[in-house]
Amino acid sequence: MLTAMLALIVVALNGALVTAQTDPAPAKLDLGIIVLPTMQEAESVMKQLNSGENFSVLAKEKSIDATSTDGGYLGNLDPSELRTELRDALRGRRAGELTNIVQLPSGFAILKILSTAPPATDLNPKRISSLVSTGAIRIGPSISGITEANAAYQEFSKKHGWHSYDPQGMCQVRTSSLAEAESTIKQALAGDSSREVQLSPSHQILAHSTLAQLYDFSGEMEDSIREWKAAYDLAETAEPASVPNLEESLGASYLHLSEMENGIYRNNTDLDIFPPLHPHASFEKTDDSKHAIDYFQKYLERQPNDLEVRWLLNLAYMTLGQYPSGVPVQYRIPVEDFQSKQNIGRFVDVAPQAGLNVLRGAGGVIVDDFDNDGLLDVMVSSVDMCDPIHFFHNNGDGTFTDRTKEAGLLNEVGGLNIVGADYNNDGCMDFLILRGGWEFPEPMSLLRNNCDGTFTDVTNASGLGSTLVQSQTAAWADIDNDGYLDLFVGNENGPAKLFHNKGDGTFEEIGHAAGVDQIAFTKGVAAADYDGDGYMDFYVANEGGVNFLYHNNGNLTFTEVGKEAGVQAPSYSFATWFFDYDNDGWPDLLVDNFLPSVDESVKTYVGGPRNAETMRLYRNRHDGTFEDVTDQVGLDKVYMPMGANFGDIDNDGFLDFYLGMGAPSYTSMFPHVLLRNDQGKSFVDITQSSGTGELHKGHGIAFADLTRHGREDIVAVIGGAVPGDRHTMRVFESPTNRNNWLNVRLIGVKTNREALGAQIHVTVQDGNSPQRSIYRTVGQTSSFGGNPVEQNIGLGPDAHNVTLDIWWPTSKTRQHFTGVPVNQFIQIREFATEYTRREFKPFDYPKPGSPAAAALAQ
C-alpha cells in the first residue's frame, strides 16, 4: 500500500509543481508545433524539415498533438504564455525558423515561428486542450485536495459490489479512504529505516504537498499550512523550481483560513461581495490575511504579471479594508474596471432571515411547489458523499422550514445536481439525484413524491438502479408525445443514456437504439423543439470536444446535426439552456464556456489578449440552423461559470441570466456575474450595481417568486467541490420595479401533467407603445439549476391589452384568451375554455433582527 500511495502522490501532484515563469517578452508570434512520441522520431522529422519539407504537411502526417488537424498551428501567442521549456527554445528565433527539439510531458516538440497564420479551418475541439498543455492558457495550481482525495478513494480496498446502489456505503468509503491516505503519508514521512521506501527530498516535497492537499479537502487549514510550509522549506534548497507555486499555495491557504476564522463561509456577509459594497469594511481577525499577502508578494517579485496571483493579492487587501487604495500600485487591479453601465437597483441577500442559509458544498437546486399548496419550496443537494439532500418547505410568511427528516430524505446523500419532474403524472413533483460528476461512476436516485410531504426512493423499482453514470446533468422531455416524460442523462467519458418512460412507473434504456449514445465528457443537457416540428430535441454540451444537437426524427430515433446547425462550440462547454432571448417565438441557445483560469477571467475586465474561448449565444434562424451572435450582443467574455440560469429580474419581458463562478481550487475566487437583457439586443453586466458579485463558488441557481410579489428572486447554492469549501446559500431578493407581470401555471391532460414543452405566447401593449410579443416555453431551464414549472412573465410598464395563447405539444391544440388582467396568478388546464385565478396574498421576508429571523437563527 505504501508504494502504491507514493506512486499516487507523484501522479496527483504532476503538473502542479511547475517551473516559475520569468518576465514575459512582449511580442506575439504565430506559432506552429509538431509533437512526436519519441526522440528518434523527432530527430527524423527535424531532418525532414531542415531538408525543406513542408511544416504543415508533416504536422498533419506525424504530430500527435491536437493541433495536427490544423497543420500544427498553435495560435498567435505571447511566448510568456508558454511553458518555460518552449519559451526558452524560442529565444533568439526569427520568423520562419525552427527551435531545437524540446522534451514535454506529452512527447518531443519542434516549434516554428510562422511568417503568417494559416487560414481558418473547421472547429478543432482539442485546440484549447493544446493551449492549456503548452501553458498558453494559465491555469494555476489546484489547491483543494479533490484530486488527491479522489485518488485515495479509488485506491482504497473495497468490498465486492461496493459501487452498487449504496450512497451511504460510498460515504463510508470516502471517510475511511481519507483517513488511510493521511496515515500512509505520515508513515512515509516518519523516515523509519524499517519502512519499505525511503523518501528523497523531492518525494518529501510531494508527500508534504499531498498531505497538505488532503487537509485542504477537509478544511483543516492550520494542518494544511503546516505541511505546505514543510514542503516550502525543503523546496528552497532541494527544488527551487517549485518554490513559486508553493508560495501561491501558502498564500491561498492563509487567505482561506482567514475567511474561515472570520465566519465568511458560515455567516452570510457583504465582505465576500465584489466589488466591495463597503470599501473600508474589514475582517476582525487579519493576521492570516497579512500572511497571505506576504506569500503573494514573494511570488509576484518573480512573476509580477501573473494575473491570478495579482487578483488574489487584491482580494487579500480587500479583507483588510484596504482595496483598492492600499494595494501596491504595480499590482493593483482597478475597481473602476468592474463598474456597471446600468442600474436596476440593489439586490439584498435574505437567506438568513428566510431560514435558507444552510451550509452547502457544490450542489444543485430545484425551486417548485412540492406539496401543492401554491407556494414554492426549495430542494438542494451537495456533492459531498456524506451530506444529505435538504428540503425546505415554504411557510407562506417569508420563512422556510427544513423538513428533510419528515420528508424521508436523510439517507439520500451526495449529488452534484438534482433535476425535477412529475414523471408519473400524479400531479406531484418528483426529482432525480445525479452523482459522479468530475469524479467516477456512481448511482443515480429517483425520488417519487408521495403527495403527502414525503418521498420514496424508487430507483431500483423504476429500472434506473442498475445504471451507474458519471454525471451531473440530465433533462426531462416527452420525446414521443405519449404524455409521459422521458429522461436523457449525460455521462462523462461514457455513452449518454436515454430512458424511455413506459407509463407504468418504469423506464427502458434506449440510448443506443435512439442514436444518442455517443461517448463524450458531457457537462450539460437541454431540451427544446428548436425547429418547430412538434418533437423535443436535445442539445448536449461537452468538455474537450464538439457539442451535439440531436434532432428528434419523431420515431424514437435522433440524428446528430450539431455541425449542420452551427452549434458545436465552445470546446469546453458546461451549463447550457434554450431560451427565447429576443422574443421572436423561436428558442435560442446559450452555452457557457468553462475553463478554470482566473487569469483569463480577469482579462475580461482589465483587458489584454485572451486565449480562452468565450461563451456562445446562438440565435435561432427559424430554418433549423443558428447564427452565432455572441459578439454583437456583448457576450464575447471569458468567465469560469459552473452554476448558471436565467430569469426576468426586472419584469421587462426579456430574459436575463446569472453566472455562478469558480472551480475546485481555493484560488478560484471570482465574482458571480448578473447580465441584464437590454431589449433583446445586448446583455449588460450589472453585477456591481446589483450587489450580486458573490466571490465564492456558485452552483445550482434558480429564479423564482418565493414571496408571491410577482418578482423573481435569485436562489443560489454557494459552495465548492470539497467539504473545506462549504458556504451558506444566498437568496438575492430582487429590487422593486413598476413593471407588470403575469404568472401562468399550466396543467396537462393529454400532454404530460406538468406541461413540459407547452408554449406560451403573450401579446401586450406597454403604455402608448406598439403591441409586442413575449414567449415562454414550460421546462426551459438551465442544465444546472431548476426554475419552477410555473411561468412568471414580465410585461413591462403600464401593460394592457393582454392576450394569451397556449400550444400543447401532445394534443396539438391551442387556447386563446383575451383581456387578461395583469398582476395575477392564473392556472390553465389543457382543453379548458377558461382559466382559473389562483389567489395568493403576497408576503415579505422577515426583517433582520426581527423575532421571526431570530428564531430561525437559533
Side-chain angles (χ1 to χ4, degrees):
M1 177 63 194
L2 184 58
T3 303
M5 183 57 68
L6 290 176
L8 185 139
I9 289 170
V10 176
V11 172
L13 270 292
N14 185 36
L17 303 175
V18 295
T19 304
Q21 297 175 351
T22 58
D23 289 340
K28 297 185 73 175
L29 305 171
D30 285 307
L31 297 176
I33 190 170
I34 299 175
V35 181
L36 291 309
T38 67
M39 174 61 83
Q40 184 177 5
E41 290 171 278
E43 290 173 342
S44 174
V45 168
M46 178 66 85
K47 186 176 181 179
Q48 291 175 277
L49 290 169
N50 287 329
S51 67
E53 293 197 32
N54 186 278
F55 186 93
S56 177
V57 171
L58 284 173
K60 289 181 178 180
E61 292 178 350
K62 307 284 188 179
S63 180
I64 61 173
D65 189 71
T67 59
S68 61
T69 56
D70 293 337
Y73 183 56
L74 190 57
N76 183 252
L77 304 173
D78 185 328
S80 70
E81 298 169 317
L82 300 174
R83 294 176 62 97
T84 305
E85 312 94 290
L86 298 178
R87 185 174 64 249
D88 290 344
L90 285 167
R91 284 199 178 97
R93 298 298 197 276
R94 293 176 293 183
E97 293 185 346
L98 302 167
T99 67
N100 294 327
I101 297 171
V102 181
Q103 185 172 355
L104 299 176
S106 57
F108 297 84
I110 304 166
L111 273 73
K112 182 177 182 178
I113 301 176
L114 305 175
S115 301
T116 57
T121 60
D122 286 345
L123 173 68
N124 177 359
K126 295 184 179 179
R127 171 173 296 286
I128 300 299
S129 297
S130 183
L131 292 173
V132 171
S133 66
T134 56
I137 292 176
R138 160 73 153 105
I139 296 179
S142 179
I143 304 163
S144 70
I146 190 168
T147 300
E148 293 73 20
N150 285 344
Y153 186 99
Q154 297 281 49
E155 287 284 320
F156 186 74
S157 178
K158 310 172 189 71
K159 65 181 181 180
H160 179 71
W162 66 274
H163 58 283
S164 62
Y165 179 65
D166 182 15
Q168 290 287 343
M170 300 182 83
C171 166
Q172 182 58 49
V173 172
R174 169 67 86 193
T175 302
S176 300
S177 63
L178 283 171
E180 181 177 282
E182 290 177 9
S183 175
T184 301
I185 298 173
K186 288 177 182 177
Q187 290 177 29
L189 285 167
D192 188 339
S193 59
S194 65
R195 301 292 178 190
E196 57 186 288
V197 174
Q198 294 297 304
L199 299 183
S200 67
S202 180
H203 278 107
Q204 289 181 51
I205 294 170
L206 289 170
H208 282 297
S209 298
T210 303
L211 190 54
Q213 294 274 22
L214 293 174
Y215 286 133
D216 282 332
F217 180 85
S218 303
E220 301 168 75
M221 301 312 299
E222 291 179 338
D223 291 332
S224 168
I225 288 169
R226 182 188 65 243
E227 298 301 325
W228 284 122
K229 281 184 175 179
Y232 183 70
D233 291 343
L234 284 165
E236 286 187 301
T237 55
E239 199 172 87
S242 65
V243 165
N245 274 14
L246 288 169
E247 288 170 342
E248 181 177 357
S249 300
L250 274 162
S253 296
Y254 267 118
L255 183 56
H256 194 77
L257 175 60
S258 182
E259 292 182 307
M260 293 178 74
E261 288 188 330
N262 285 277
I264 296 301
Y265 292 93
R266 291 187 172 273
N267 302 304
N268 290 26
T269 171
D270 289 341
L271 291 172
D272 54 348
I273 297 290
F274 189 93
L277 302 184
H278 310 288
H280 300 298
S282 67
F283 287 180
E284 290 184 10
K285 303 174 183 178
T286 58
D287 286 349
D288 291 314
S289 289
K290 292 174 181 177
H291 288 312
I293 288 171
D294 288 342
Y295 281 105
F296 290 146
Q297 288 186 329
K298 286 180 180 179
Y299 180 101
L300 289 169
E301 288 171 4
R302 296 183 178 88
Q303 183 60 25
N305 295 318
D306 188 303
L307 273 177
E308 175 172 290
V309 179
R310 284 179 59 193
W311 169 254
L312 292 171
L313 178 71
N314 279 254
L315 294 185
Y317 272 102
M318 193 175 94
T319 70
L320 303 182
Q322 299 176 15
Y323 172 82
S325 60
V327 183
V329 64
Q330 68 270 32
Y331 304 138
R332 187 179 304 159
I333 293 177
V335 69
E336 292 79 16
D337 292 339
F338 293 83
Q339 298 299 308
S340 301
K341 293 182 174 62
Q342 292 182 5
N343 187 352
I344 66 165
R346 177 79 70 183
F347 287 69
V348 177
D349 178 24
V350 296
Q353 57 262 39
L356 287 173
N357 59 328
V358 62
L359 200 64
R360 295 276 78 191
V365 62
I366 304 168
V367 179
D368 221 307
D369 184 4
F370 282 95
D371 49 12
N372 288 336
D373 63 355
L375 302 175
L376 298 176
D377 311 301
V378 177
M379 188 84 69
V380 292
S381 68
S382 172
V383 69
D384 188 339
M385 292 179 182
C386 302
D387 201 356
I389 292 288
H390 277 268
F391 171 52
F392 293 95
H393 168 74
N394 191 328
N395 299 322
D397 60 0
T399 68
F400 291 77
T401 299
D402 190 336
R403 290 190 178 172
T404 306
K405 181 179 179 180
E406 294 82 351
L409 295 172
L410 281 177
N411 291 324
E412 296 297 338
V413 295
L416 186 53
N417 200 11
I418 47 178
V419 186
D422 180 7
Y423 78 94
N424 57 357
N425 284 341
D426 65 356
C428 301
M429 180 64 66
D430 317 296
F431 69 99
L432 178 78
I433 305 174
L434 294 155
R435 300 185 179 94
W438 301 110
E439 295 181 334
F440 29 74
E442 295 183 46
M444 301 178 288
S445 294
L446 180 62
L447 280 300
R448 186 190 67 212
N449 191 332
N450 300 320
C451 302
D452 61 0
T454 68
F455 295 82
T456 298
D457 192 323
V458 294
T459 311
N460 287 330
S462 68
L464 299 181
S466 61
T467 302
L468 296 178
V469 290
Q470 189 172 331
S471 179
Q472 39 117 105
T473 185
W476 295 92
D478 184 358
I479 61 174
D480 53 355
N481 287 331
D482 65 353
Y484 288 94
L485 294 175
D486 310 296
L487 175 64
F488 189 110
V489 180
N491 207 350
E492 296 174 5
N493 293 325
K497 305 292 182 181
L498 180 58
F499 296 94
H500 182 241
N501 192 329
K502 296 161 70 174
D504 60 0
T506 67
F507 295 83
E508 177 186 10
E509 207 287 305
I510 62 168
H512 179 69
V516 298
D517 62 337
Q518 294 195 62
I519 295 176
F521 199 88
T522 296
K523 301 306 299 178
V525 180
D529 177 12
Y530 77 91
D531 57 353
D533 66 355
Y535 289 95
M536 296 291 282
D537 313 293
F538 292 109
Y539 184 75
V540 180
N542 302 312
E543 179 188 286
V546 297
N547 300 329
F548 308 141
L549 179 60
Y550 288 114
H551 174 258
N552 191 331
N553 300 320
N555 59 2
L556 292 179
T557 70
F558 293 77
T559 301
E560 203 287 296
V561 296
K563 183 175 183 179
E564 295 83 351
V567 293
Q568 290 183 300
S571 299
Y572 270 61
S573 298
F574 202 153
T576 184
W577 62 76
F578 287 98
F579 71 154
D580 187 358
Y581 84 94
D582 55 358
N583 279 325
D584 68 351
W586 291 81
D588 309 300
L589 178 61
L590 189 134
V591 197
D592 283 335
N593 179 57
F594 177 74
L595 264 176
S597 174
V598 174
D599 183 272
E600 293 287 322
S601 297
V602 173
K603 290 176 184 176
T604 289
Y605 290 96
V606 304
R610 300 193 305 258
N611 292 317
E613 293 176 287
T614 69
M615 67 177 70
R616 293 290 197 278
L617 178 62
Y618 295 110
R619 187 184 66 82
N620 196 319
R621 288 193 176 110
H622 315 168
D623 62 359
T625 68
F626 292 80
E627 175 190 5
D628 186 342
V629 295
T630 308
D631 290 359
Q632 69 190 58
V633 300
L635 291 179
D636 52 334
K637 313 292 185 186
V638 175
Y639 301 117
M640 47 180 180
M642 296 181 295
N645 212 334
F646 62 90
D648 185 354
I649 55 173
D650 53 359
N651 281 344
D652 67 349
F654 291 93
L655 292 168
D656 319 292
F657 62 94
Y658 187 59
L659 302 176
M661 302 300 177
S665 177
Y666 291 156
T667 62
S668 298
M669 297 169 61
F670 202 75
H672 300 189
V673 173
L674 183 58
L675 292 155
R676 179 178 180 266
N677 186 339
D678 194 353
Q679 301 294 304
K681 298 175 182 177
S682 66
F683 288 85
V684 181
D685 186 337
I686 61 168
T687 306
Q688 175 268 328
S689 63
S690 64
T692 56
E694 165 67 56
L695 279 166
H696 296 102
K697 317 304 167 53
H699 283 82
I701 293 169
F703 289 74
D705 176 15
L706 295 178
T707 56
R708 292 315 190 199
H709 281 281
R711 300 189 307 272
E712 292 183 323
D713 303 325
I714 303 173
V715 181
V717 176
I718 310 295
V722 300
D725 206 10
R726 294 189 299 166
H727 195 290
T728 46
M729 287 177 59
R730 295 277 194 179
V731 178
F732 289 109
E733 183 184 15
S734 62
T736 58
N737 62 72
R738 69 184 190 90
N739 290 337
N740 301 119
W741 52 273
L742 187 67
N743 186 294
V744 182
R745 175 74 166 96
L746 301 183
I747 305 294
V749 176
K750 186 174 183 180
T751 298
N752 65 86
R753 178 65 179 262
E754 68 178 80
L756 258 65
Q759 298 171 8
I760 302 171
H761 176 202
V762 179
T763 58
V764 61
Q765 188 171 1
D766 299 324
N768 296 321
S769 301
Q771 196 171 55
R772 66 184 177 113
S773 292
I774 302 168
Y775 295 90
R776 297 287 186 270
T777 299
V778 179
Q780 285 185 357
T781 188
S782 170
S783 59
F784 211 127
N787 292 344
V789 293
E790 66 177 38
Q791 300 296 300
N792 201 83
I793 304 169
L795 303 175
D798 304 318
H800 59 285
N801 293 339
V802 177
T803 64
L804 190 62
D805 290 274
I806 314 295
W807 180 82
W808 296 88
T810 298
S811 63
K812 306 290 194 261
T813 58
R814 296 183 182 275
Q815 293 162 300
H816 180 70
F817 304 95
T818 60
V820 180
V822 301
N823 301 340
Q824 66 169 336
F825 299 83
I826 64 174
Q827 180 172 291
I828 302 173
R829 292 181 66 87
E830 191 174 11
F831 306 119
T833 57
E834 295 181 349
Y835 63 80
T836 302
R837 182 165 183 149
R838 305 167 75 201
E839 298 293 341
F840 298 113
K841 183 178 180 180
F843 46 90
D844 296 320
Y845 298 105
K847 300 296 182 183
S850 66
L856 285 168
Q858 297 181 16

